[in-house]
Amino acid sequence: MSTAVSRGTSPVSPARQPRLTVLSGPSGVGKSTVVAHMRKAHPEVWLSVSATTRKPRPGEQDGVQYFFVDDEEFDKLIANGELLEWAEFAGNRYGTPRQAVLDRLEAGEPVLLEIDLQGARQVRETMPEAQLVFLAPPSWDELVRRLTGRGTESPEVIERRLAVAKVELAAESEFDVTLVNTSVEDVARELLALLR
Ligand code: ADP
Ligand code: 5GP
């Protein structure tokens, strides 16, 4: 005779797993702004610091926004298998240091990656349990206004990033959740809820 207890059709809740969440979206949509807003109120939220060959913008500090490296150093990170994923974006390379992410997940803490579409696709392949969140602009015109208004890139780089943005916006359906960045406060709250 079976001793199994029937639980009807409700699934048994799995133990809560620490989550890896990827936040992507076109350049200028407000990813950094939203994440910074959330972390101001919740400094305990851990955000992976990527390595990049891009030059620092005024005010950016090595080890804070990014680890700023040259091409040779980036080549070494790839060759040594130190990156969980990496991609070339609008003329520069960006990658997620693997070990720091694995350490956090091992410690049972949620992990947030702010990376581009190509990186999000790589994470989906290697870590299918990851949650993919797409940050969308309220409109195309507003995206152009934000990217231009930020004033950190030359007109040529803005053009390049907007061309990439068209491809990224077309990939929204690959993501598990879309948040529209109309209000930084609202999106920061929604993102925090998704991380937990
Ligand atoms: P990303 O990290 O996605 O490239 P940023 O966070 O640098 O984008 O934001 C780009 C610009 O848009 C910044 O000048 C920022 O202040 C502005 N911005 C971000 N979110 C909003 C919003 N909800 N409403 C209006 N402006 C915003
Ligand atoms: P920015 O130069 O504006 O800081 O970043 C440009 C793009 O690179 C953004 O879409 C950002 O999310 C992405 N990015 C930042 N770090 C990484 C990373 O480690 N890997 C990947 N694939 N993209 C990244």
Side-chain angles (χ1 to χ4, degrees):
M1 195 175 76
S2 167
T3 54
V5 177
S6 167
R7 293 180 191 273
T9 52
S10 347
V12 179
S13 323
R16 250 180 106 76
Q17 297 288 325
R19 258 197 160 161
L20 184 134
T21 302
V22 170
L23 179 68
S24 291
S27 185
V29 70
K31 299 178 297 297
S32 308
T33 305
V34 165
V35 169
H37 189 83
M38 179 182 69
R39 294 182 78 220
K40 210 166 165 194
H42 295 276
E44 75 281 4
V45 173
W46 189 78
L47 172 72
S48 163
V49 178
S50 299
T52 184
T53 58
R54 167 166 81 61
K55 297 281 170 283
R57 293 178 185 142
E60 285 186 332
Q61 289 172 274
D62 189 38
V64 179
Q65 289 82 11
Y66 285 105
F67 295 107
F68 295 98
V69 299
D70 61 21
D71 269 314
E72 199 181 324
E73 285 170 298
F74 203 95
D75 286 342
K76 271 193 206 144
L77 291 174
I78 298 171
N80 295 337
E82 289 182 53
L83 299 179
L84 186 66
E85 60 72 38
W86 71 272
E88 182 162 339
F89 180 93
N92 294 297
R93 289 186 291 173
Y94 299 81
T96 303
R98 181 195 300 279
Q99 199 54 50
V101 168
L102 298 184
D103 289 349
R104 290 285 156 166
L105 290 175
E106 188 115 318
E109 294 170 31
V111 161
L112 177 61
L113 308 184
E114 195 227 290
I115 61 176
D116 85 326
L117 172 65
Q118 305 166 76
R121 285 175 172 160
Q122 292 172 49
V123 171
R124 168 124 292 169
E125 282 293 308
T126 54
M127 301 170 113
E129 69 285 4
Q131 167 176 239
L132 267 51
V133 179
F134 189 80
L135 191 62
S139 67
W140 175 259
D141 287 352
E142 176 60 14
L143 179 67
V144 175
R145 257 194 301 279
R146 286 184 192 172
L147 186 55
T148 312
R150 187 168 70 190
T152 49
E153 272 84 23
S154 66
E156 299 79 57
V157 174
I158 289 176
E159 279 311 308
R160 207 162 172 183
R161 285 178 177 236
L162 286 174
V164 177
K166 291 209 169 110
V167 176
E168 290 173 321
L169 288 169
E172 183 196 322
S173 64
E174 295 178 32
F175 288 74
D176 301 309
V177 185
T178 292
L179 303 176
V180 180
N181 183 15
T182 305
S183 147
V184 173
E185 286 74 25
D186 289 353
V187 175
R189 194 176 338 103
E190 288 160 0
L191 180 61
L192 183 68
L194 288 171
L195 292 178
R196 291 179 161 169

